[in-house]
Amino acid sequence: LLADYAGAEPPAGGVGVSFRENLKGNTPRDWRKSIYYRYWTQEQIRPAHLGIRNDRYKLIFFYGDRLQTTGSEPTSTTPAWEFYDLQADPHENKNSYNDPQYASIIKEMKEELLKQKNLVGDTDDGDDTMKQIMEKYYW
């Protein structure tokens, strides 16, 4: 967006697109419904994680391992999930991951998270640690 407003070309390898028209109230029909993100740094206070968010819900998977990154603490944390209904809980005060009323939504969001992760090329190929974490804690 900033490159669009500045009249510049977006940086090579960028995965985003301008949402200038969205800000004007002209959201394209094919505009994505969710956004994927990843926080690589592993710290006890804020474990490494990946997540997805849409207009109402937010799902986060704290995989809790520094993997091959630098600048992280060496200590791993136990993987965990958080889920928030941003309409009912806009300040994210209550982790509703284990609430049965959200089970089908969480399942859909987990599938969408993996889809978006792959679409941006975040595959973790060749990382046996992440593969083991995903196999044990993802589903």
Side-chain angles (χ1 to χ4, degrees):
L1 173 68
L2 295 177
D4 182 17
Y5 273 101
E9 289 296 316
V15 294
V17 296
S18 175
F19 57 94
R20 178 192 287 227
E21 288 302 311
N22 299 56
L23 296 175
K24 296 177 186 177
N26 303 318
T27 302
R29 289 180 187 257
D30 63 346
W31 194 258
R32 67 180 177 190
K33 305 292 186 232
S34 60
I35 186 167
Y36 164 80
Y37 74 94
R38 186 162 189 172
Y39 182 80
W40 290 91
T41 306
Q42 167 63 16
E43 301 168 327
Q44 292 290 322
I45 193 168
R46 188 180 313 108
H49 61 280
L50 42 94
I52 191 162
R53 179 187 168 158
N54 60 32
D55 64 333
R56 180 166 177 180
Y57 304 109
K58 182 176 180 182
L59 179 69
I60 311 157
F61 178 51
F62 293 93
Y63 57 89
D65 196 285
R66 69 181 182 160
L67 304 175
Q68 305 302 319
T69 62
T70 58
S72 291
E73 294 176 0
T75 307
S76 296
T77 53
T78 302
W81 286 95
E82 289 185 8
F83 173 82
Y84 299 98
D85 179 339
L86 302 171
Q87 191 174 71
D89 180 18
H91 300 291
E92 301 177 23
N93 291 319
K94 181 180 184 267
N95 179 4
S96 297
Y97 183 76
N98 292 314
D99 188 330
Q101 75 173 334
Y102 296 113
S104 64
I105 294 164
I106 291 169
K107 182 180 184 299
E108 289 174 20
M109 289 190 75
K110 283 182 173 184
E111 292 168 0
E112 182 67 15
L113 190 152
L114 291 178
K115 177 183 167 187
Q116 294 299 323
K117 183 178 185 296
N118 286 325
L119 281 173
V120 299
D122 185 9
T123 62
D124 290 306
D125 286 343
D127 193 318
D128 289 338
T129 301
M130 189 62 171
K131 182 179 178 185
Q132 291 169 2
I133 291 169
M134 294 292 281
E135 287 174 355
K136 185 172 181 179
Y137 294 98
Y138 198 83
W139 296 104

